[in-house]
Amino acid sequence: MNAETETERDTGTPPAEVAVVVIGHDDAAHVTDAVRSALAQGPAVREVVAVDDCSTDGSASLLDRLAASEPRLRVIRRRVNSGGCGTPRNTGLDAVTSPYVMFLDSDDVLPPGAADTLLEAAAGAHAEVAGGLCVRRELPSGREVPWQARLYALHAVVPHPARRPRLVHDTLCVNKLYRTAFLRAHGIRFPEGRFPYEDVVFTARVLAAAPRIALVPDRVYVWHVRRSAGRLSISLDRAGVANWRARTEACRQAYEVLLGAGHKELARAVRAKFLDHDLRMYVRELGLRDTAYRRAWWELTRAHLAEYDADDWARNPAAPGRLLGRVVLASPEPCDLPRLRELAARPARLCPPYARAADGTPVWSEGLAQVSLEPLLARPVGALPLAVDAELRPGARGTRLRLRLHELYGRVVRAGPETVEVEWRHRDDGNVVVRGGSTALVRCAGGSEDAGSAEDAGTWSAETAVALPALAALGAGTWDLRLRIRFRDGASRDVTAHALTGAGLLRRSAVPSARHGVVLVHPYTTHSGALALRVAPGVRGVLSVARARLRRLLH
């Protein structure tokens, strides 16, 4: 043991064993904040390698000035822009000299203590990789959404990735610490050049090498999401079909990497993740795209899904992503997009019509009778894609919420829905909730025009007051509607509600208020078709809405 190690042990100072590779291109507004967050990790960080990917906005000069006063910072300037994130990360990885390495993007930050936490976890578990919780911070609101929170709920040591297939869902490279020698021994690198979603392939290469992995519930990375930025990040810039092509190619390569390494279950988990996450996310946005995009997207998706085998479809066949995929495969042209959007929502909603084949088997529609919905008959009622319609009626005498729950192949009537609990959750802070209490569900007389048979007929309705004064008291904001349906046997199902869009239902209204004078109320439908509500109290709130609308129009 050398004198330096003895001193570290005596003082409790962690050894300087971590390198942080920061990459950036034309991000002068943020890159120094990222680098400073890495340097602020303290003595655990031996070096910070900032790789400037041929910026033209002065980023490199800012980094050079910072390096002049910070001996741990080294700046590498690339002479030609790589067009992606993989090449500059590889450049930084080649340059580091520390036993462990982390990656950081120029527009994000490391929270205090991240390096210490991951280093302690890796060393304590003798792990080649340590991962922690990443949060997506929406700017400018500051709302934080945990990324893959289930995976990082508890401290854990995974001796082999096959023991935790859920690992394939966390395709980020930045919320992890890697043993440098492990990456180099296995030749693990990022795809070079302009390769969007390089993290997906890199993560698969890491898992294919079967590392011992330590997981911690601590927050170790802050991913900044700037949706109003002039230049969107790759993950947000999904308007062109090339983005979808790149994502499918990355998922294909991840599957092949794991299958080639003999990890068949992990490879299948990659395909399952594609259906449950990637496919659902893009289907929710199809309504925003033009006809040419939809046709190209549909063709690409069918080609990708055609590579799946029977076992890929047989696992959890009633899962929304698998139903979506089977509809796309079954139809040569885009079809039923509004209904697919509802099924892609979280939680999923399967809206009418509820068709049956000639033998009575539940099917997607009369035109796609080959897509069977029979697996839904065996799914627990608490996991069914129940459809609830909602309409909101603002008024001077009170704002009312009307709900209608649809039957689903006889499953709902057998379960016996009794009540629905209503809550409004603040969009920017999900911890702020206004509850509307519990309301009885009443069976409606007669059948539904969309019902496929007498067994499918029927709806349940409920009506309740919206606690508009409570919402307005918290200031201007957006509220998402959440419902919990309770059944006779004690089971429950959490759902969102499909926003009805009839004449006047989504109109902005000014509601008189004793406290605020007026409250501006605007029910609207989200990208996934759910009902949400914007509230702006008082004259100041009305002006804020007008300014926000003007900004959106200008953007």
Side-chain angles (χ1 to χ4, degrees):
M1 184 181 298
N2 58 39
E4 181 183 1
T5 305
E6 287 178 353
T7 301
E8 289 164 351
R9 173 167 293 183
D10 292 343
T11 62
T13 303
E17 294 189 323
V18 179
V20 181
V21 174
V22 185
I23 64 165
H25 169 69
D26 283 351
D27 197 15
H30 308 114
V31 66
T32 54
D33 289 337
V35 169
R36 287 191 176 97
S37 77
L39 294 169
Q41 296 298 303
V45 172
R46 176 189 296 181
E47 56 185 335
V48 176
V49 179
V51 182
D52 179 78
D53 199 10
C54 195
S55 294
T56 59
D57 68 343
S59 296
S61 297
L62 291 174
L63 291 170
D64 286 339
R65 286 199 290 273
L66 187 57
S69 60
E70 178 48 72
R72 291 181 296 165
L73 174 59
R74 183 165 26 135
V75 180
I76 299 176
R77 295 195 187 196
R78 290 186 49 80
R79 296 184 177 181
V80 178
N81 179 255
S82 68
C85 297
T87 297
R89 287 199 185 119
N90 288 335
T91 300
L93 181 58
D94 291 339
V96 303
T97 61
S98 303
Y100 295 92
V101 62
M102 299 175 65
F103 299 100
L104 172 61
D105 290 345
S106 62
D107 53 350
D108 300 331
V109 293
L110 296 178
D116 286 343
T117 296
L118 292 174
L119 180 59
E120 181 180 353
H126 303 287
E128 287 82 20
V129 179
L133 185 66
C134 166
V135 295
R136 290 166 53 99
R137 180 182 291 166
E138 299 273 352
L139 296 176
S141 71
R143 176 195 181 199
E144 293 189 349
V145 180
W147 168 261
Q148 296 298 323
R150 284 174 52 193
L151 191 59
Y152 297 102
L154 300 169
H155 287 274
V157 177
V158 183
H160 191 288
R163 302 274 187 91
R164 194 71 66 91
R166 183 80 188 176
L167 287 165
V168 304
H169 285 251
D170 183 11
T171 53
L172 298 181
C173 73
V174 289
N175 59 331
K176 300 175 184 72
L177 176 86
Y178 307 89
R179 191 181 292 276
T180 310
F182 164 77
L183 296 180
R184 290 173 175 166
H186 292 277
I188 299 172
R189 299 174 67 78
F190 293 88
E192 293 277 350
R194 182 165 181 77
F195 191 102
Y197 304 108
E198 75 292 332
D199 277 20
V200 175
V201 178
F202 177 83
T203 300
R205 290 171 178 172
V206 169
L207 297 178
R212 185 177 175 88
I213 302 174
L215 305 176
V216 298
D218 306 82
R219 191 171 69 160
V220 301
Y221 196 85
V222 178
W223 174 2
H224 285 149
V225 179
R226 297 178 173 90
R227 299 185 189 276
S228 60
R231 184 186 68 184
L232 293 175
S233 67
I234 290 174
S235 60
L236 293 179
D237 188 8
R238 298 192 289 266
V241 76
N243 178 276
W244 180 239
R245 183 183 293 109
R247 188 181 283 261
T248 56
E249 177 58 27
C251 292
R252 180 182 292 110
Q253 288 196 27
Y255 172 82
E256 292 172 351
V257 165
L258 290 164
L259 191 64
H263 304 310
K264 190 172 184 178
E265 291 302 310
L266 285 176
R268 290 207 184 279
V270 166
R271 285 184 166 176
K273 173 257 178 188
F274 176 84
L275 293 171
D276 184 61
H277 175 71
D278 305 79
L279 183 63
R280 292 175 74 174
M281 176 169 59
Y282 281 72
V283 166
R284 290 195 295 270
E285 298 175 350
L286 274 181
L288 306 175
R289 313 303 181 204
D290 60 24
T291 300
Y293 175 99
R294 293 174 190 172
R295 288 186 177 276
W297 183 93
W298 200 270
E299 183 179 351
L300 281 168
T301 307
R302 295 186 81 228
H304 182 70
L305 295 180
E307 300 172 5
Y308 284 35
D309 59 30
D311 285 343
D312 293 320
W313 297 108
R315 300 185 180 198
N316 197 8
R322 281 171 173 76
L323 296 179
L324 291 170
R326 287 164 57 206
V327 171
V328 173
L329 270 180
S331 176
E333 296 289 334
C335 69
D336 296 339
L337 297 187
R339 197 165 178 233
L340 290 174
R341 177 189 68 169
E342 301 283 337
L343 186 59
R346 294 188 183 277
R349 300 183 296 270
L350 181 59
C351 293
Y354 302 123
R356 289 182 181 267
D359 63 359
T361 302
V363 295
W364 176 258
S365 66
E366 292 182 1
L368 293 178
Q370 66 269 46
V371 180
S372 172
L373 300 184
E374 191 171 14
L376 291 176
L377 301 181
R379 200 168 178 84
V381 69
L384 286 174
L386 300 180
V388 179
D389 296 334
E391 58 179 270
L392 192 138
R393 300 278 186 175
R397 296 184 178 181
T399 299
R400 308 294 294 178
L401 176 67
R402 298 174 183 173
L403 305 170
R404 183 176 64 174
L405 167 66
H406 290 273
E407 180 57 89
L408 186 62
Y409 297 113
R411 295 298 313 282
V412 179
V413 69
R414 287 196 292 272
E418 293 186 333
T419 61
V420 57
E421 298 171 3
V422 177
E423 71 175 29
W424 297 92
R425 188 169 299 173
H426 200 279
R427 174 73 57 81
D428 292 334
D429 186 351
N431 295 320
V432 178
V433 174
V434 174
R435 291 180 171 83
S438 178
T439 304
L441 284 162
V442 179
R443 183 75 184 269
C444 300
S448 167
E449 294 179 359
D450 295 319
S453 72
E455 186 183 17
D456 306 327
T459 59
W460 288 257
S461 67
E463 184 171 337
T464 184
V466 176
L468 191 57
L471 300 178
L474 295 168
T478 300
W479 299 85
D480 291 308
L481 176 63
R482 295 289 187 271
L483 307 172
R484 175 169 295 172
I485 300 170
R486 295 195 179 274
F487 298 90
R488 186 169 47 233
D489 65 354
S492 65
R493 173 60 166 156
D494 291 339
V495 299
T496 55
H498 163 71
L500 293 179
T501 57
L505 289 180
L506 300 182
R507 185 178 58 238
R508 186 181 287 109
S509 303
V511 178
S513 168
R515 177 177 177 182
H516 303 285
V518 66
V519 175
L520 202 61
V521 179
H522 183 201
Y524 75 100
T525 179
T526 68
H527 290 340
S528 66
L531 179 68
L533 180 63
R534 296 190 182 101
V535 175
V539 175
R540 182 176 298 179
V542 172
L543 292 175
S544 71
V545 170
R547 285 193 294 269
R549 182 173 177 80
L550 179 59
R551 283 196 298 269
R552 286 195 297 271
L553 291 172
L554 292 174
H555 179 66

